[in-house]
C-alpha cells in the first residue's frame, strides 16, 4: 500500500495489529546543533538555542499539516556523557521552552507528553514538566511528545519489568507495547534524522518497526516548516507494505 493510498482511507496492519492510515506520527532525531554553531564560530549553546526555534517552527508546521503526534528526541539517556556545562545549558533551554511556550501549546489544543525517565532531572524542572503535562492532558488537537532522558532499550526494559510476574502465555507484542512510555500512541509512520548521520541512536526502536526512515543533510537549526513539508512529500511517495506484498 502506498502512503498516498493510505491517506485515502485504505489501511494496513502493523506488526502490532494496529491499522495505519494517513501520516499520524512523525518522530525526529534533532541532530546537528553543535555543527551549526561550529560553522559560525559560535559556542554549542548557540546551536541548541537556534534548535529551539526549529522545535517551535516544526511543531507549528506539524499542526498545520494535521499530524496527530510529533515526537522529538531532546535528551537521550546517553547525553549525560556530555560536559556538565552543556547538560546544564540544555536543561536551562528546556526549562525556558516550557515556561515560554506552554501557553501557546495549550491554546493550540496540544497535549504535551514526555517519554523517558525525566525524574532524573532537577526536582524543580521535574515539577515544571509534570505541571505542563498535567495542564495539557485533556487537550485533543494533537500531541507533542518530548524524549527526555529517553533511551529505547531502557524503555523496553522498564516495560518488561512491569510484565514480570505475569503468566508468560499472556505476554505478547500488544502487552509489551502497552507498557511502553508511548503505550497509547500510534506507531511511528515517519522517522526523520537531520544532519546527515544515519543512525537510530536508541530512539523508538520498537515504535519505528515499520516506520519510513528519512535521513536529511539539513542541520537541525536549519530545519523548519518547509523542510517538514518536504519530508512529508517524500513520505507520500513511499510505498508501505508492512511485510505484505
Ligand atoms: C543534537 O545536536 C541535539 C541535541 C543533543 C539536543 C537537542 C535539543 C534541542 C534542540 C533543544 C531542547 C529541545 C526541546 C524540545 C525543548 P548535537 O549537539 O549532537 O549536534 P552535533 O552532532 O552537530 O554536535
Amino acid at each position: 500500500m502506498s502512503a498516498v493510498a493510505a491517506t485515502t482511507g485504505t489501511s494496513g496492519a502493523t506488526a502490532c495489529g494496529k491499522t495505519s492510515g494517513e501520516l499520524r506520527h512523525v518522530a525526529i532525531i534533532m541532530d546537528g546543533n553543535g555543527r551549526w554553531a561550529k560553522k559560525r564560530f559560535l559556542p554549542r549553546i548557540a546551536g541548541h538555542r537556534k534548535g529551539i526555534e526549529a522545535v517551535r517552527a516544526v511543531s507549528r508546521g506539524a499542526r498545520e499539516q494535521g499530524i496527530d503526534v510529533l515526537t522529538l528526541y531532546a535528551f537521550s539517556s546517553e547525553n549525560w556523557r556530555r560536559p556538565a556545562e552543556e547538560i546544564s545549558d540544555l536543561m536551562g533551554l528546556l526549562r525556558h521552552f516550557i515556561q515560554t511556550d506552554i501557553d501557546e501549546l495549550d491554546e493550540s489544543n496540544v497535549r504535551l507528553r514526555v517519554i523517558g525517565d525525566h525524574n532524573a532531572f532537577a526536582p524543580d524542572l521535574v515539577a515544571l514538566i509534570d505541571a505542563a503535562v498535567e495542564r495539557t492532558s485533556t487537550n485533543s488537537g494533537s500531541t507533542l511528545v518530548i524524549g527526555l532522558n529517553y533511551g529505547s532499550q531502557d524503555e523496553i526494559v522498564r516495560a518488561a519489568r512491569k510484565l514480570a510476574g505475569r503468566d508468560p502465555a499472556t505476554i505478547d507484542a500488544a502487552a509489551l507495547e502497552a507498557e511502553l512510555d508511548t503505550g497509547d500512541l500510534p506507531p511511528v509512520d515517519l522517522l526523520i534524522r537531520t544532519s546527515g548521520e544515519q543512525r537510530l541512536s536508541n530512539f523508538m526502536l520498537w515504535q519505528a518497526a515499520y516506520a519510513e526512515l528519512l535521513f536529511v543533510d539539513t542541520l537541525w537549526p536549519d530545519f523548519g516548516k518547509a523542510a517538514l513539508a518536504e519530508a512529508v512529500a517524500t513520505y507520500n511517495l513511499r510505498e508501505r507494505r508492512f511485510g505484505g506484498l
Side-chain angles (χ1 to χ4, degrees), residues 4 20 42 46 60 68 85-86 88 106 113 126 145 157 165 180 193 214 221 227 231 241:
V4 176
S20 176
L42 293 169
R60 286 178 190 140
D68 290 340
E85 192 188 348
E86 181 164 346
S88 163
D106 198 17
R113 283 277 299 272
V126 172
V145 185
V157 168
L180 297 174
R193 184 175 188 140
L214 183 62
R241 289 195 293 272

Side-chain angles (χ1 to χ4, degrees), residues 9-207:
T10 322
S11 65
T14 68
C16 318
K18 288 179 179 171
T19 55
S20 176
E22 74 269 47
L23 174 53
R24 286 184 299 172
H25 189 166
V26 175
I28 309 183
I29 302 173
M30 308 179 288
D31 198 7
N33 294 350
R35 276 161 285 167
W36 184 93
K38 194 173 178 192
K39 269 170 62 177
R40 290 162 179 78
F41 306 101
L42 293 169
R44 292 178 59 81
I45 174 77
H48 295 314
R49 219 175 271 134
K50 190 78 180 162
I52 294 276
E53 287 178 32
V55 166
R56 279 190 194 106
V58 169
S59 126
R60 286 178 190 140
R63 295 203 287 280
E64 286 166 19
Q65 303 241 5
I67 293 164
D68 290 340
V69 183
L70 173 68
T71 299
L72 301 174
Y73 203 7
F75 193 88
S76 79
S77 46
E78 287 73 38
N79 283 152
W80 295 109
R81 297 180 192 144
R82 294 193 176 205
E85 192 188 348
E86 181 164 346
I87 293 173
S88 163
D89 286 344
L90 283 168
M91 297 295 155
L93 284 176
L94 175 64
R95 183 178 280 110
H96 186 69
F97 172 77
I98 293 178
Q99 284 167 337
T100 56
D101 285 53
I102 190 63
D103 287 343
E104 178 185 328
L105 293 173
D106 198 17
E107 280 153 23
S108 305
N109 202 16
V110 176
R111 181 174 63 137
L112 181 69
R113 283 277 299 272
V114 167
I115 55 171
D117 187 8
H118 73 289
N119 287 310
F121 291 179
D124 70 308
L125 184 52
V126 172
L128 188 70
I129 294 165
D130 289 346
V133 168
E134 174 58 28
R135 175 175 161 185
T136 60
S137 61
T138 56
N139 288 348
S140 55
S142 63
T143 303
L144 174 63
V145 185
I146 305 185
L148 295 176
N149 190 26
Y150 176 84
S152 202
Q153 292 176 342
D154 170 66
E155 178 191 32
I156 293 168
V157 168
R158 284 188 284 109
R161 283 196 187 124
K162 288 182 209 155
L163 294 175
R166 268 176 56 167
D167 175 1
T170 68
I171 300 175
D172 57 10
L176 195 137
E177 190 171 66
E179 300 299 341
L180 297 174
D181 297 347
T182 53
D184 59 338
L185 299 173
V188 174
D189 297 305
L190 172 63
L191 190 151
I192 303 168
R193 184 175 188 140
T194 59
S195 90
E197 306 289 341
Q198 302 192 4
R199 287 187 294 279
L200 293 181
S201 298
N202 203 12
F203 182 56
M204 308 289 269
L205 301 181
W206 178 289
Q207 299 87 340

